[in-house]
Amino acid sequence: LLLEGLILSMKTLMWAFVLMVLLLFAFGVLIVRLVKWDTNKDERVRLNDWTSLTHVMWTLAHMATLDDWGNSVMWVHLNIPGIRGMVVILSMFVSMAVTAFGVVNIVIGIMCQTSTVVAAKQKLLTSAENLKNQQGAVGAVRTCFQTWGERALFKSD
């Protein structure tokens, strides 16, 4: 039942995953550009992880699970000064809100909808099987009565 639901929702889940990757990429590019903006060589060495798009996308994906996001925000707050750091933190929060509360809830909705459809299909199949069994029982009773009626008819002759 669960496996059938996953298979039925695979196409929609794939598009939700693509949407999530595109959002992470867009916010990642924004954050990398903000971190690299107006920095000298010494600062870029210190902020090396945050100048890598893959690192930023991975951090944003990790934040989308709402697991230990405070450390990433605290690191940015302590290491990127001024308005630039605040804009990076704001971008991180917007990314987290869109991915964690938007896309992840879409995925949960897809799974719930699919499980409802599969459960309804299973209920319909069970009902059809019960109807078939009932028809078989009625047929058996009908055959018994026909046989009994034929015997009674032949005995009276």
Side-chain angles (χ1 to χ4, degrees):
L1 190 66
L2 183 63
L3 185 61
E4 184 179 357
L6 281 172
I7 290 169
L8 286 174
S9 63
M10 200 57 70
K11 181 179 177 185
T12 311
L13 288 173
M14 189 254 331
W15 283 112
F17 178 74
V18 168
L19 175 64
M20 184 132 170
V21 169
L22 287 175
L23 286 169
L24 292 175
F25 178 76
F27 280 105
V29 168
L30 174 69
I31 290 172
V32 167
R33 295 296 293 169
L34 284 170
V35 169
K36 284 184 176 181
W37 179 58
D38 198 29
T39 57
N40 58 31
K41 190 173 183 173
D42 294 334
E43 269 189 302
R44 285 188 185 166
V45 169
R46 184 172 49 87
L47 303 172
N48 188 33
D49 286 343
W50 287 86
T51 58
S52 163
L53 181 61
T54 54
H55 174 77
V56 172
M57 284 178 65
W58 180 254
T59 302
L60 292 176
H62 186 72
M63 287 177 67
T65 64
L66 301 177
D67 180 38
D68 202 26
W69 58 270
N71 285 338
S72 299
V73 172
M74 184 61 72
W75 190 93
V76 169
H77 175 67
L78 294 174
N79 290 294
I80 302 175
I83 191 76
R84 188 173 49 136
M86 297 310 283
V87 173
V88 170
I89 290 172
L90 179 65
S91 300
M92 291 169 76
F93 278 130
V94 170
S95 168
M96 187 172 57
V98 169
T99 55
F101 301 119
V103 177
V104 173
N105 281 332
I106 289 172
V107 170
I108 291 170
I110 291 166
M111 297 304 294
C112 289
Q113 172 64 24
T114 305
S115 65
T116 302
V117 168
V118 169
K121 181 180 174 184
Q122 185 68 29
K123 184 177 179 180
L124 186 63
L125 290 173
T126 303
S127 297
E129 186 176 328
N130 288 341
L131 185 60
K132 183 179 175 184
N133 291 339
Q134 288 172 355
Q135 286 175 341
V138 168
V141 169
R142 185 178 293 139
T143 304
C144 286
F145 279 125
Q146 286 174 346
T147 306
W148 178 73
E150 289 172 0
R151 285 186 195 161
L153 185 64
F154 287 124
K155 281 187 178 183
S156 62
D157 287 339

